Amino acid sequence: MAAIPQVSLIGCEKSMPVIGMGTSSYPPADLETAKTAILEAIKAGYRHFDTAFAYGSEKPLGEAIAEALTLGLIKSRDDLFITTKLWCSFAQRDQIVPTCKMSLQNIKLDYVDLYLIHMPLRLSQMIQKTPVDKEIIHPLDVKGVWEGMEECQKLGLTKAIGVSNFSCKKLEEVLSIAKIPPAVNQVEINPAWQQKQLREFCKAKGIHITAYSPLGANNTNWGDNRIIESDVLADIAKARGKTTAQH
Ligand SMILES: NC(=O)c1ccc[n+]([C@@H]2O[C@H](COP(=O)([O-])OP(=O)(O)OC[C@H]3O[C@@H](n4cnc5c(N)ncnc54)[C@H](OP(=O)(O)O)[C@@H]3O)[C@@H](O)[C@H]2O)c1
């Protein structure tokens, strides 16, 4: 695998490889399958892994990291960039630090590199599947939750903090009260859903945008085959000797 370019994040001494491996799968993979996939990714050269409490992939990621160290695939944990996310059921001021510590325990790490608010909302119950009942969806206490995220960074539980699925309006709210600005906004972006306004906003504010579902998320929850099956994208890729996904 060619060297993966890195990007600097505001407020973070460690740079982030711009290509990472997502660890979410639906239905969730069993622990051994997930661990093996992550180990293979490390062998292939991936150094950035994206997990979340909600994915159930924190534990297999932790086991894969431990095994990669034992096998000498990486010299130290610092060789990896690990992102995890605060799930909406824990999105209250007093739950942020304990929830971050719970994720660290799952991954068996002292710190993650990036801790994100998974979504700009709070759920008053744990959920097993989507869609969820409207009654359990509540507005996010942006100030309280962001203070909790900042505390995680100050305590050294994470090197950087950020958000996911935030609009320009929601980001304005965070920026208006933040002592540490969000380093990243992880959102859905693909050739058919380019989020131009959000990208321009984030660029102006120094917030790095990470794209998820860049190939269009053809899964049972959302998404379709429009990217992978696009004739235009296939022609562009073919001209460069690549598959659509590679390009
Ligand atoms: N922050 C958030 O709210 C959020 C939301 C969604 C995802 N994410 C993150 O983003 C990661 C990636 O999500 P994703 O939706 O892109 O899921 P994905 O399962 O990695 O890929 C989605 C689709 O792309 C296809 N695909 C993947 N690699 C391909 C290849 N090399 N050639 C052809 N088709 C390929 C898959 O096809 P097959 O099914 O045939 O393999 C699947 O249909 C997740 O694991 C998670 O870490 C974050």
Side-chain angles (χ1 to χ4, degrees):
M1 195 176 191
I4 295 172
Q6 313 239 345
V7 65
S8 303
L9 302 177
I10 37 171
C12 181
E13 71 238 26
K14 193 161 150 188
S15 54
M16 180 177 84
V18 294
I19 296 175
M21 179 186 167
T23 61
S24 163
S25 54
Y26 191 82
D30 64 82
L31 194 138
E32 208 50 42
T33 305
K35 177 181 143 186
T36 306
I38 294 163
L39 265 177
E40 287 305 313
I42 293 176
K43 285 181 198 162
Y46 283 89
R47 292 294 179 265
H48 175 182
F49 291 88
D50 183 78
T51 182
F53 175 85
Y55 302 162
S57 59
E58 290 179 326
K59 282 188 180 159
L61 175 59
E63 294 205 2
I65 295 170
E67 195 160 325
L69 284 165
T70 307
L71 295 172
L73 298 176
I74 47 171
K75 287 200 187 81
S76 106
R77 175 264 175 269
D78 289 346
D79 294 348
L80 300 176
F81 190 100
I82 305 297
T83 301
T84 194
K85 310 184 192 87
L86 172 85
W87 182 237
C88 314
S89 310
F90 306 110
Q92 294 197 92
R93 174 68 183 95
D94 60 344
Q95 289 183 298
I96 315 301
V97 167
T99 305
C100 184
K101 286 182 176 167
M102 180 168 65
S103 283
L104 290 174
Q105 227 169 16
N106 284 339
I107 319 174
K108 297 196 193 95
L109 292 180
D110 298 329
Y111 70 91
V112 285
D113 297 283
L114 181 60
Y115 195 44
L116 304 177
I117 301 176
H118 205 144
M119 286 181 197
L121 55 92
R122 178 175 73 82
L123 297 177
S124 49
Q125 281 173 27
M126 279 306 287
I127 56 160
Q128 300 300 329
K129 57 183 170 60
T130 54
V132 300
D133 293 336
K134 268 200 293 196
E135 293 70 43
I136 71 162
I137 303 174
H138 305 276
L140 187 74
D141 166 18
V142 170
K143 187 170 183 294
V145 171
W146 192 252
E147 274 173 13
M149 297 293 284
E150 291 177 330
E151 192 181 347
C152 291
Q153 182 162 341
K154 283 182 202 143
L155 290 170
L157 306 177
T158 182
K159 298 281 181 204
I161 49 176
V163 297
S164 180
N165 300 303
F166 273 47
S167 63
C168 298
K169 200 171 153 200
K170 274 277 169 262
L171 280 169
E172 288 277 24
E173 273 185 62
V174 178
L175 290 168
S176 72
I177 51 92
K179 294 190 180 72
I180 305 173
V184 167
N185 186 18
Q186 183 183 118
V187 292
E188 182 174 4
I189 294 187
N190 63 56
W193 182 244
Q194 298 187 11
Q195 308 242 43
K196 188 164 180 280
Q197 197 188 342
L198 182 66
R199 283 192 286 119
E200 282 169 3
F201 177 90
C202 286
K203 193 171 179 195
K205 303 291 182 189
I207 301 169
H208 179 77
I209 287 236
T210 294
Y212 71 72
S213 303
L215 300 176
N218 172 27
N219 66 32
T220 47
N221 281 328
W222 82 94
D224 54 42
N225 285 330
R226 272 184 304 162
I227 304 304
I228 289 296
E229 292 177 359
S230 156
D231 291 340
V232 174
L233 294 176
D235 285 348
I236 296 170
K238 198 172 162 195
R240 295 166 187 230
K242 307 275 187 198
T243 66
T244 299
Q246 285 170 336
H247 188 256

